Amino acid sequence: MIERNTGFANLAAGYLFPEVAKRRREYLEKHPDAKIISLGIGNTTEPLTPHITSAMVTYARGLGTKVGYSGYGDEQGLSSLREKIADVVYANLGFSSNEIFISDGSKCDIARIQTLFGRKVPIAVQDPAYPVYVDGSVIVGAAGKSGRNGYKGVTYLPCTAENGFFPDLSAVKPDSLIYFCSPNNPTGAACTKSQLKKLVDFANQNGCIIIFDSAYSAFIRNDKLPRSIYEIKGAKKCAIEINSFSKLAGFTGVRLGWSVVPNELKYADGSSVREDWNRVMTTLFNGASNIAQQGGLAALDPKGIEETTGLVDYYLENARLMEEALRGENFAAAGVRVYYTGDSPYLWVNFPGWKSWDIFDKILDECRVVTTPGSGFGPSGESYLRFSSFGHRDDVREACRRLAQLKLV
Ligand SMILES: *Cc1c(COP(=O)(O)O)cnc(C)c1O
């Protein structure tokens, strides 16, 4: 018999979202008529926009004709899309198109990136964090068994209200791979230039590489905040940036993302990370959907940008309504603290004296609203809930009305 990859044995059971779904199901079994509203998901809800949809439809129709048909394309993506991302998303940052790689989404890129660094690399992550950074590392064997302080080989960097959700980096081991997400899922915190400078300087001084997940960069509305890590001097020497059309243009189901691997980024032996990434993408990946890539090109047209800005504004308005509700008297009286700066789809809300799952249950019970327990993203998320602004406006308004009725004291 063949031995199982020990990474799978090391992996603790996926708990958060299955448990949320289970509690929701159990509630519905007891209250079959309850109209539950979900503010728990990190999934987009609003339709694709017209300019982008029409580009994909036109291209898809062409695929049904002799002249319009195309099969495999370059594994790294359409050169026109790579150039457009370099020119539009990273304007003035001096990237050439060969440093941009098109993919089927950032989660997939995060998983593939772990093949670049082998099993010995120490890992550092924000706590709380998006689960794939650590779970993916465990599967490939770069992190070990799970114990009381998390997985072996992983350094957890608490991001708390006390440190403004920006971690103390001094615990990071030299030559680590640092996963970093800003604007952050789940805390919603968007780093300032000086915070990112600290991160970049630390990485350069300590031989670290940063995997910078900027999936929510389109939600940044404060012009003083950096939208890319490459706005920081020295970042091309120490960072890979991963981004996606998922939250930017509602492509969660269409599937399209990209990674930036600068020519300057080198391993300890001086060889090029970009060349290995090129090898990974041409070997383990076979190109993003050509229809999706046409959608991506359209999304970066002036018309597409106007549309996606409107789409993101819609969710930001949802977030503003939720913020208003969560800052209501009933919450304030219980000492509830809402962390939200307006640059992310997520509100991070602290309920002093409550365990995350207990306040989750109470809000499900009394408001019929599903949230996400902060503790599911890591120990520093205990006593928090994440409220997501991905939802239809009417549902969000109704959820806000119900939350306003909640009695906490
Ligand atoms: C939603 C999300 C992504 C995007 O994943 P895709 O695979 O591109 O859909 C990446 N990182 C974080 C933190 C996310 O929340």
mmCIF file of all heavy atoms in Angstrom, residues 272-310:
data_model
loop_
_atom_site.group_PDB
_atom_site.id
_atom_site.type_symbol
_atom_site.label_atom_id
_atom_site.label_comp_id
_atom_site.label_asym_id
_atom_site.label_seq_id
_atom_site.Cartn_x
_atom_site.Cartn_y
_atom_site.Cartn_z
ATOM 1 N N SER A 272 17.086 33.219 -9.753
ATOM 2 C CA SER A 272 15.897 34.054 -9.899
ATOM 3 C C SER A 272 14.627 33.324 -9.483
ATOM 4 O O SER A 272 14.320 32.243 -9.992
ATOM 5 C CB SER A 272 15.785 34.465 -11.369
ATOM 6 O OG SER A 272 14.463 34.835 -11.689
ATOM 7 N N VAL A 273 13.878 33.927 -8.571
ATOM 8 C CA VAL A 273 12.596 33.356 -8.163
ATOM 9 C C VAL A 273 11.624 33.407 -9.342
ATOM 10 O O VAL A 273 10.863 32.476 -9.594
ATOM 11 C CB VAL A 273 12.024 34.107 -6.936
ATOM 12 C CG1 VAL A 273 10.642 33.580 -6.558
ATOM 13 C CG2 VAL A 273 12.978 34.014 -5.750
ATOM 14 N N ARG A 274 11.688 34.504 -10.111
ATOM 15 C CA ARG A 274 10.785 34.664 -11.250
ATOM 16 C C ARG A 274 10.934 33.522 -12.259
ATOM 17 O O ARG A 274 9.954 33.013 -12.786
ATOM 18 C CB ARG A 274 11.048 35.998 -11.960
ATOM 19 C CG ARG A 274 9.917 36.435 -12.889
ATOM 20 C CD ARG A 274 10.386 37.386 -13.973
ATOM 21 N NE ARG A 274 11.181 36.679 -14.954
ATOM 22 C CZ ARG A 274 10.674 35.950 -15.966
ATOM 23 N NH1 ARG A 274 9.369 35.863 -16.131
ATOM 24 N NH2 ARG A 274 11.466 35.314 -16.800
ATOM 25 N N GLU A 275 12.174 33.103 -12.489
ATOM 26 C CA GLU A 275 12.366 32.007 -13.452
ATOM 27 C C GLU A 275 11.752 30.705 -12.955
ATOM 28 O O GLU A 275 11.170 29.953 -13.733
ATOM 29 C CB GLU A 275 13.856 31.822 -13.760
ATOM 30 C CG GLU A 275 14.304 32.821 -14.810
ATOM 31 C CD GLU A 275 15.808 32.825 -15.028
ATOM 32 O OE1 GLU A 275 16.461 31.780 -14.789
ATOM 33 O OE2 GLU A 275 16.322 33.886 -15.432
ATOM 34 N N ASP A 276 11.868 30.434 -11.656
ATOM 35 C CA ASP A 276 11.242 29.223 -11.118
ATOM 36 C C ASP A 276 9.721 29.330 -11.158
ATOM 37 O O ASP A 276 9.032 28.344 -11.417
ATOM 38 C CB ASP A 276 11.702 28.968 -9.669
ATOM 39 C CG ASP A 276 13.075 28.337 -9.616
ATOM 40 O OD1 ASP A 276 13.668 28.104 -10.698
ATOM 41 O OD2 ASP A 276 13.571 28.081 -8.496
ATOM 42 N N TRP A 277 9.224 30.524 -10.880
ATOM 43 C CA TRP A 277 7.768 30.698 -10.923
ATOM 44 C C TRP A 277 7.256 30.488 -12.352
ATOM 45 O O TRP A 277 6.223 29.874 -12.572
ATOM 46 C CB TRP A 277 7.383 32.087 -10.394
ATOM 47 C CG TRP A 277 5.891 32.302 -10.295
ATOM 48 C CD1 TRP A 277 5.160 33.267 -10.914
ATOM 49 C CD2 TRP A 277 4.945 31.535 -9.534
ATOM 50 N NE1 TRP A 277 3.827 33.141 -10.600
ATOM 51 C CE2 TRP A 277 3.674 32.086 -9.742
ATOM 52 C CE3 TRP A 277 5.071 30.419 -8.690
ATOM 53 C CZ2 TRP A 277 2.519 31.580 -9.150
ATOM 54 C CZ3 TRP A 277 3.914 29.901 -8.093
ATOM 55 C CH2 TRP A 277 2.665 30.481 -8.340
ATOM 56 N N ASN A 278 8.027 30.964 -13.309
ATOM 57 C CA ASN A 278 7.690 30.733 -14.712
ATOM 58 C C ASN A 278 7.620 29.230 -14.982
ATOM 59 O O ASN A 278 6.716 28.733 -15.641
ATOM 60 C CB ASN A 278 8.754 31.395 -15.590
ATOM 61 C CG ASN A 278 8.323 31.454 -17.040
ATOM 62 O OD1 ASN A 278 7.278 32.013 -17.362
ATOM 63 N ND2 ASN A 278 9.112 30.840 -17.915
ATOM 64 N N ARG A 279 8.566 28.504 -14.402
ATOM 65 C CA ARG A 279 8.600 27.053 -14.570
ATOM 66 C C ARG A 279 7.395 26.390 -13.902
ATOM 67 O O ARG A 279 6.775 25.489 -14.465
ATOM 68 C CB ARG A 279 9.916 26.536 -13.967
ATOM 69 C CG ARG A 279 10.262 25.107 -14.314
ATOM 70 C CD ARG A 279 10.655 24.990 -15.765
ATOM 71 N NE ARG A 279 10.720 23.592 -16.178
ATOM 72 C CZ ARG A 279 11.847 22.884 -16.245
ATOM 73 N NH1 ARG A 279 13.008 23.454 -15.950
ATOM 74 N NH2 ARG A 279 11.831 21.623 -16.598
ATOM 75 N N VAL A 280 7.070 26.856 -12.699
ATOM 76 C CA VAL A 280 5.898 26.308 -11.996
ATOM 77 C C VAL A 280 4.649 26.536 -12.833
ATOM 78 O O VAL A 280 3.848 25.618 -13.068
ATOM 79 C CB VAL A 280 5.727 26.962 -10.595
ATOM 80 C CG1 VAL A 280 4.368 26.597 -9.989
ATOM 81 C CG2 VAL A 280 6.840 26.540 -9.656
ATOM 82 N N MET A 281 4.468 27.754 -13.319
ATOM 83 C CA MET A 281 3.243 28.084 -14.038
ATOM 84 C C MET A 281 3.145 27.354 -15.378
ATOM 85 O O MET A 281 2.066 27.001 -15.823
ATOM 86 C CB MET A 281 3.130 29.603 -14.240
ATOM 87 C CG MET A 281 2.873 30.363 -12.946
ATOM 88 S SD MET A 281 1.377 29.822 -12.085
ATOM 89 C CE MET A 281 0.141 30.874 -12.850
ATOM 90 N N THR A 282 4.297 27.119 -16.017
ATOM 91 C CA THR A 282 4.229 26.430 -17.308
ATOM 92 C C THR A 282 4.169 24.910 -17.143
ATOM 93 O O THR A 282 3.845 24.202 -18.082
ATOM 94 C CB THR A 282 5.437 26.808 -18.203
ATOM 95 O OG1 THR A 282 6.637 26.557 -17.479
ATOM 96 C CG2 THR A 282 5.398 28.267 -18.604
ATOM 97 N N THR A 283 4.489 24.425 -15.933
ATOM 98 C CA THR A 283 4.477 22.988 -15.701
ATOM 99 C C THR A 283 3.202 22.530 -14.991
ATOM 100 O O THR A 283 2.559 21.575 -15.397
ATOM 101 C CB THR A 283 5.695 22.572 -14.834
ATOM 102 O OG1 THR A 283 6.867 23.095 -15.430
ATOM 103 C CG2 THR A 283 5.810 21.063 -14.725
ATOM 104 N N LEU A 284 2.863 23.234 -13.902
ATOM 105 C CA LEU A 284 1.746 22.795 -13.057
ATOM 106 C C LEU A 284 0.441 23.497 -13.401
ATOM 107 O O LEU A 284 -0.576 23.255 -12.768
ATOM 108 C CB LEU A 284 2.068 23.037 -11.576
ATOM 109 C CG LEU A 284 3.338 22.396 -11.025
ATOM 110 C CD1 LEU A 284 3.496 22.732 -9.549
ATOM 111 C CD2 LEU A 284 3.313 20.890 -11.217
ATOM 112 N N PHE A 285 0.487 24.409 -14.349
ATOM 113 C CA PHE A 285 -0.703 25.193 -14.682
ATOM 114 C C PHE A 285 -0.755 25.282 -16.199
ATOM 115 O O PHE A 285 0.288 25.203 -16.855
ATOM 116 C CB PHE A 285 -0.572 26.591 -14.041
ATOM 117 C CG PHE A 285 -1.777 27.468 -14.219
ATOM 118 C CD1 PHE A 285 -3.017 27.081 -13.732
ATOM 119 C CD2 PHE A 285 -1.676 28.699 -14.867
ATOM 120 C CE1 PHE A 285 -4.124 27.897 -13.886
ATOM 121 C CE2 PHE A 285 -2.785 29.514 -15.034
ATOM 122 C CZ PHE A 285 -4.010 29.111 -14.546
ATOM 123 N N ASN A 286 -1.952 25.450 -16.732
ATOM 124 C CA ASN A 286 -2.038 25.440 -18.200
ATOM 125 C C ASN A 286 -2.759 26.661 -18.743
ATOM 126 O O ASN A 286 -3.349 26.615 -19.809
ATOM 127 C CB ASN A 286 -2.710 24.146 -18.677
ATOM 128 C CG ASN A 286 -1.975 23.538 -19.854
ATOM 129 O OD1 ASN A 286 -1.057 24.152 -20.382
ATOM 130 N ND2 ASN A 286 -2.375 22.359 -20.278
ATOM 131 N N GLY A 287 -2.681 27.762 -17.999
ATOM 132 C CA GLY A 287 -3.289 28.995 -18.484
ATOM 133 C C GLY A 287 -4.685 29.200 -17.918
ATOM 134 O O GLY A 287 -5.439 28.250 -17.727
ATOM 135 N N ALA A 288 -5.009 30.462 -17.645
ATOM 136 C CA ALA A 288 -6.358 30.801 -17.179
ATOM 137 C C ALA A 288 -7.313 30.715 -18.366
ATOM 138 O O ALA A 288 -6.895 30.814 -19.524
ATOM 139 C CB ALA A 288 -6.366 32.205 -16.585
ATOM 140 N N SER A 289 -8.589 30.573 -18.080
ATOM 141 C CA SER A 289 -9.611 30.522 -19.124
ATOM 142 C C SER A 289 -9.491 31.733 -20.045
ATOM 143 O O SER A 289 -9.374 32.875 -19.578
ATOM 144 C CB SER A 289 -10.994 30.516 -18.454
ATOM 145 O OG SER A 289 -11.940 31.181 -19.263
ATOM 146 N N ASN A 290 -9.527 31.473 -21.357
ATOM 147 C CA ASN A 290 -9.405 32.608 -22.285
ATOM 148 C C ASN A 290 -10.610 33.551 -22.189
ATOM 149 O O ASN A 290 -10.475 34.762 -22.347
ATOM 150 C CB ASN A 290 -9.142 32.125 -23.718
ATOM 151 C CG ASN A 290 -10.066 31.004 -24.159
ATOM 152 O OD1 ASN A 290 -11.112 30.776 -23.554
ATOM 153 N ND2 ASN A 290 -9.688 30.310 -25.219
ATOM 154 N N ILE A 291 -11.775 33.017 -21.879
ATOM 155 C CA ILE A 291 -12.967 33.871 -21.729
ATOM 156 C C ILE A 291 -12.775 34.797 -20.512
ATOM 157 O O ILE A 291 -13.015 36.002 -20.587
ATOM 158 C CB ILE A 291 -14.237 33.014 -21.555
ATOM 159 C CG1 ILE A 291 -14.410 32.079 -22.760
ATOM 160 C CG2 ILE A 291 -15.464 33.889 -21.350
ATOM 161 C CD1 ILE A 291 -15.524 31.057 -22.604
ATOM 162 N N ALA A 292 -12.321 34.212 -19.422
ATOM 163 C CA ALA A 292 -12.093 35.011 -18.212
ATOM 164 C C ALA A 292 -11.057 36.108 -18.481
ATOM 165 O O ALA A 292 -11.200 37.245 -18.002
ATOM 166 C CB ALA A 292 -11.623 34.105 -17.075
ATOM 167 N N GLN A 293 -10.032 35.772 -19.261
ATOM 168 C CA GLN A 293 -8.987 36.778 -19.523
ATOM 169 C C GLN A 293 -9.534 37.952 -20.337
ATOM 170 O O GLN A 293 -9.113 39.098 -20.144
ATOM 171 C CB GLN A 293 -7.791 36.142 -20.230
ATOM 172 C CG GLN A 293 -7.059 35.149 -19.316
ATOM 173 C CD GLN A 293 -5.731 34.710 -19.908
ATOM 174 O OE1 GLN A 293 -4.760 35.451 -19.862
ATOM 175 N NE2 GLN A 293 -5.686 33.517 -20.455
ATOM 176 N N GLN A 294 -10.493 37.667 -21.242
ATOM 177 C CA GLN A 294 -11.131 38.780 -21.962
ATOM 178 C C GLN A 294 -11.909 39.657 -20.978
ATOM 179 O O GLN A 294 -11.932 40.880 -21.103
ATOM 180 C CB GLN A 294 -12.080 38.247 -23.056
ATOM 181 C CG GLN A 294 -11.362 37.534 -24.194
ATOM 182 C CD GLN A 294 -10.332 38.405 -24.881
ATOM 183 O OE1 GLN A 294 -10.583 39.577 -25.152
ATOM 184 N NE2 GLN A 294 -9.164 37.841 -25.154
ATOM 185 N N GLY A 295 -12.526 39.017 -20.001
ATOM 186 C CA GLY A 295 -13.215 39.781 -18.953
ATOM 187 C C GLY A 295 -12.234 40.641 -18.176
ATOM 188 O O GLY A 295 -12.518 41.795 -17.837
ATOM 189 N N GLY A 296 -11.058 40.084 -17.896
ATOM 190 C CA GLY A 296 -10.023 40.832 -17.172
ATOM 191 C C GLY A 296 -9.544 42.038 -17.964
ATOM 192 O O GLY A 296 -9.371 43.135 -17.407
ATOM 193 N N LEU A 297 -9.353 41.837 -19.266
ATOM 194 C CA LEU A 297 -8.944 42.977 -20.117
ATOM 195 C C LEU A 297 -10.005 44.076 -20.072
ATOM 196 O O LEU A 297 -9.683 45.254 -19.902
ATOM 197 C CB LEU A 297 -8.752 42.510 -21.571
ATOM 198 C CG LEU A 297 -7.434 41.818 -21.907
ATOM 199 C CD1 LEU A 297 -7.514 41.132 -23.273
ATOM 200 C CD2 LEU A 297 -6.271 42.822 -21.881
ATOM 201 N N ALA A 298 -11.277 43.665 -20.183
ATOM 202 C CA ALA A 298 -12.360 44.654 -20.165
ATOM 203 C C ALA A 298 -12.436 45.360 -18.816
ATOM 204 O O ALA A 298 -12.715 46.555 -18.738
ATOM 205 C CB ALA A 298 -13.688 43.976 -20.500
ATOM 206 N N ALA A 299 -12.148 44.609 -17.737
ATOM 207 C CA ALA A 299 -12.217 45.201 -16.392
ATOM 208 C C ALA A 299 -11.193 46.315 -16.216
ATOM 209 O O ALA A 299 -11.372 47.200 -15.369
ATOM 210 C CB ALA A 299 -12.015 44.123 -15.333
ATOM 211 N N LEU A 300 -10.125 46.275 -17.015
ATOM 212 C CA LEU A 300 -9.080 47.291 -16.869
ATOM 213 C C LEU A 300 -9.201 48.405 -17.913
ATOM 214 O O LEU A 300 -8.366 49.307 -17.968
ATOM 215 C CB LEU A 300 -7.694 46.643 -16.921
ATOM 216 C CG LEU A 300 -7.435 45.634 -15.784
ATOM 217 C CD1 LEU A 300 -6.080 44.967 -15.943
ATOM 218 C CD2 LEU A 300 -7.533 46.305 -14.409
ATOM 219 N N ASP A 301 -10.246 48.338 -18.749
ATOM 220 C CA ASP A 301 -10.573 49.489 -19.610
ATOM 221 C C ASP A 301 -11.123 50.603 -18.734
ATOM 222 O O ASP A 301 -11.660 50.320 -17.661
ATOM 223 C CB ASP A 301 -11.719 49.119 -20.583
ATOM 224 C CG ASP A 301 -11.260 48.206 -21.707
ATOM 225 O OD1 ASP A 301 -10.046 48.150 -21.963
ATOM 226 O OD2 ASP A 301 -12.146 47.551 -22.304
ATOM 227 N N PRO A 302 -11.063 51.858 -19.222
ATOM 228 C CA PRO A 302 -11.663 52.938 -18.420
ATOM 229 C C PRO A 302 -13.127 52.637 -18.053
ATOM 230 O O PRO A 302 -13.542 52.860 -16.918
ATOM 231 C CB PRO A 302 -11.560 54.158 -19.340
ATOM 232 C CG PRO A 302 -10.382 53.857 -20.226
ATOM 233 C CD PRO A 302 -10.364 52.363 -20.408
ATOM 234 N N LYS A 303 -13.885 52.093 -19.014
ATOM 235 C CA LYS A 303 -15.296 51.759 -18.738
ATOM 236 C C LYS A 303 -15.390 50.666 -17.661
ATOM 237 O O LYS A 303 -16.228 50.734 -16.752
ATOM 238 C CB LYS A 303 -15.957 51.286 -20.051
ATOM 239 C CG LYS A 303 -17.427 51.028 -19.955
ATOM 240 C CD LYS A 303 -18.221 52.329 -19.890
ATOM 241 C CE LYS A 303 -19.664 52.057 -19.463
ATOM 242 N NZ LYS A 303 -20.202 53.162 -18.664
ATOM 243 N N GLY A 304 -14.516 49.668 -17.785
ATOM 244 C CA GLY A 304 -14.512 48.575 -16.809
ATOM 245 C C GLY A 304 -14.150 49.077 -15.414
ATOM 246 O O GLY A 304 -14.741 48.658 -14.413
ATOM 247 N N ILE A 305 -13.191 49.973 -15.354
ATOM 248 C CA ILE A 305 -12.768 50.504 -14.055
ATOM 249 C C ILE A 305 -13.905 51.294 -13.408
ATOM 250 O O ILE A 305 -14.171 51.171 -12.212
ATOM 251 C CB ILE A 305 -11.494 51.370 -14.215
ATOM 252 C CG1 ILE A 305 -10.317 50.456 -14.593
ATOM 253 C CG2 ILE A 305 -11.192 52.152 -12.940
ATOM 254 C CD1 ILE A 305 -9.043 51.187 -14.982
ATOM 255 N N GLU A 306 -14.610 52.068 -14.278
ATOM 256 C CA GLU A 306 -15.757 52.823 -13.760
ATOM 257 C C GLU A 306 -16.797 51.862 -13.165
ATOM 258 O O GLU A 306 -17.316 52.068 -12.062
ATOM 259 C CB GLU A 306 -16.350 53.618 -14.923
ATOM 260 C CG GLU A 306 -17.435 54.588 -14.571
ATOM 261 C CD GLU A 306 -18.086 55.146 -15.846
ATOM 262 O OE1 GLU A 306 -17.348 55.487 -16.804
ATOM 263 O OE2 GLU A 306 -19.321 55.203 -15.876
ATOM 264 N N GLU A 307 -17.050 50.780 -13.892
ATOM 265 C CA GLU A 307 -18.054 49.815 -13.423
ATOM 266 C C GLU A 307 -17.623 49.106 -12.132
ATOM 267 O O GLU A 307 -18.414 48.976 -11.196
ATOM 268 C CB GLU A 307 -18.294 48.745 -14.499
ATOM 269 C CG GLU A 307 -19.069 49.238 -15.702
ATOM 270 C CD GLU A 307 -19.264 48.140 -16.753
ATOM 271 O OE1 GLU A 307 -18.720 47.021 -16.576
ATOM 272 O OE2 GLU A 307 -19.953 48.402 -17.748
ATOM 273 N N THR A 308 -16.386 48.644 -12.103
ATOM 274 C CA THR A 308 -15.965 47.890 -10.910
ATOM 275 C C THR A 308 -15.839 48.806 -9.702
ATOM 276 O O THR A 308 -16.055 48.375 -8.576
ATOM 277 C CB THR A 308 -14.635 47.139 -11.134
ATOM 278 O OG1 THR A 308 -13.630 48.077 -11.493
ATOM 279 C CG2 THR A 308 -14.759 46.075 -12.199
ATOM 280 N N THR A 309 -15.520 50.082 -9.947
ATOM 281 C CA THR A 309 -15.494 51.024 -8.833
ATOM 282 C C THR A 309 -16.899 51.132 -8.234
ATOM 283 O O THR A 309 -17.072 51.128 -7.009
ATOM 284 C CB THR A 309 -15.005 52.417 -9.295
ATOM 285 O OG1 THR A 309 -13.726 52.247 -9.905
ATOM 286 C CG2 THR A 309 -14.868 53.387 -8.137
ATOM 287 N N GLY A 310 -17.903 51.154 -9.107
ATOM 288 C CA GLY A 310 -19.290 51.199 -8.647
ATOM 289 C C GLY A 310 -19.670 49.950 -7.862
ATOM 290 O O GLY A 310 -20.353 50.016 -6.835
#
